[in-house]
């Protein structure tokens, strides 16, 4: 078996996509309370999924080799393009996102995907600040705002704030410079009292997910797993025997 993808929790619960012999792909449920009993083995390219069937690749690069890496033309666009994709011509929203306790970013997405996009990133709060005719205009606005706010947040910063709440004074101060069209406030139900330990494992009881972060509890310690780090891993059905760092709270 190999982890070949994941689906963050949006309208539906989060899932891992796991391939079996013959290319069949099944979903592993990541609902809170689910028990996972997998050991991670060698990691290599996750290949691709074609019409529901996994096509294996044994290249050593992970999670994807150059052949299977999607190159999204909008990833680093700053509005100096000729609208290369059909989706670029759709109405776009410019938004601000907050990650506890005080990390903020600007982003853009097609208007109909706004709330979904915020949830995919695991934002704690969001604010819709502009609506424009297409992605090129949106990227130009984003690039301008990013000079002071930033346009990306590392996963380790998100993990560091999993047990915290957004500092509302700082968030409101940021929003004061913009016309806010709509606000979003998300709850993920993790109920953490302490910062979880960053680890890559797939064994324990699921506490929940937040964006691409999976929180697993094992032997009294909460672990934060970047699901992207699982993609490409071969797995076996057994609890991990690895020695894991534990939190101080597990001894209380």
């Amino acid at each position: 078996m190999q982890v070949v993808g994941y689906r963050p929790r949006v309208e539906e619960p989060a899932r891992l996509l796991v391939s079996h012999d013959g290319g069949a792909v099944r979903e592993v449920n990541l609902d809170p309370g689910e028990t996972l009993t997998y050991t991670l083995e060698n990691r290599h390219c996750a290949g691709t999924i074609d019409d529901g069937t996994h096509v294996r690749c044994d290249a050593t690069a992970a999670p994807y080799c150059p052949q299977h890496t999607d190159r999204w033309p909008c990833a680093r666009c700053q509005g100096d393009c000729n609208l290369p994709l059909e989706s670029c011509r759709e109405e776009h929203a410019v938004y601000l996102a907050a990650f506890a306790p005080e990390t903020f970013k600007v982003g853009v997405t097609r208007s109909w995907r706004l709330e979904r996009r915020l949830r995919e990133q695991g934002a704690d709060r969001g604010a819709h600040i502009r609506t424009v005719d297409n992605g090129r205009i949106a990227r130009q606005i984003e690039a301008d705002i990013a000079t002071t706010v930033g346009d990306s947040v590392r996963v380790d910063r998100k993990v560091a704030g999993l047990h915290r709440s957004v500092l509302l004074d700082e968030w409101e101060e940021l929003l004061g410079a913009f016309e806010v069209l709509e606000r979003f406030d998300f709850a993920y139900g993790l109920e953490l009292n302490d910062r979880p330990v960053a680890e890559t494992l797939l064994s324990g009881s699921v506490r929940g997910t937040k964006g691409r972060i999976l929180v697993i509890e094992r032997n009294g310690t909460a672990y934060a797993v970047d699901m992207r780090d699982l993609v490409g891993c071969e797995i076996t059905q057994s609890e991990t025997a690895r020695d894991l760092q534990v939190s101080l709270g597990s001894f209380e």
Side-chain angles (χ1 to χ4, degrees), residues 77-104:
C77 175
Q78 294 188 324
D80 52 358
C81 66
N82 61 351
L83 301 173
L85 304 178
E86 184 176 344
S87 59
C88 297
R89 295 173 171 81
E90 295 183 40
E91 179 185 272
H92 275 61
V94 182
Y95 64 86
L96 296 171
F99 302 84
E102 51 180 332
T103 299
F104 311 124

Side-chain angles (χ1 to χ4, degrees), residues 23-37:
V25 177
R26 72 176 179 89
E27 297 184 345
V28 174
N29 189 349
L30 298 178
D31 277 342
E34 289 290 323
T35 299
L36 304 175
T37 54

Side-chain angles (χ1 to χ4, degrees), residues 40 155-156 159 162 195-203 212-218 221-230 233 240-247:
L40 304 181
V155 172
D156 57 354
V159 170
L162 285 178
R195 175 177 176 173
V197 177
E199 185 58 89
T200 304
L201 76 161
L202 199 52
S203 182
R212 75 188 213 197
I213 301 170
L214 165 65
V215 179
I216 295 175
E217 184 170 333
R218 180 177 171 83
T221 293
Y223 297 93
V225 183
D226 183 349
M227 287 191 282
R228 182 173 171 80
D229 290 341
L230 297 173
C233 289
T240 183
R242 285 196 300 124
D243 289 332
L244 300 170
Q245 179 183 343
V246 297
S247 65

Side-chain angles (χ1 to χ4, degrees), residues 45 47-48 55-57 59 61 64-71:
C45 177
T48 187
V55 180
R56 184 180 175 89
C57 176
Y64 300 102
C65 69
Q67 180 181 348
H68 292 113
T69 298
D70 289 331
R71 291 175 175 81

Side-chain angles (χ1 to χ4, degrees), residues 81-128:
C81 66
N82 61 351
L83 301 173
L85 304 178
E86 184 176 344
S87 59
C88 297
R89 295 173 171 81
E90 295 183 40
E91 179 185 272
H92 275 61
V94 182
Y95 64 86
L96 296 171
F99 302 84
E102 51 180 332
T103 299
F104 311 124
K105 63 159 292 215
V106 62
V108 305
T109 188
R110 286 172 286 173
S111 292
W112 64 269
R113 291 194 82 255
L114 177 54
E115 182 172 350
R116 182 184 185 90
R117 181 59 182 146
L118 288 164
R119 287 186 179 275
E120 287 173 346
Q121 296 177 80
D124 293 295
R125 291 177 179 261
H128 179 189

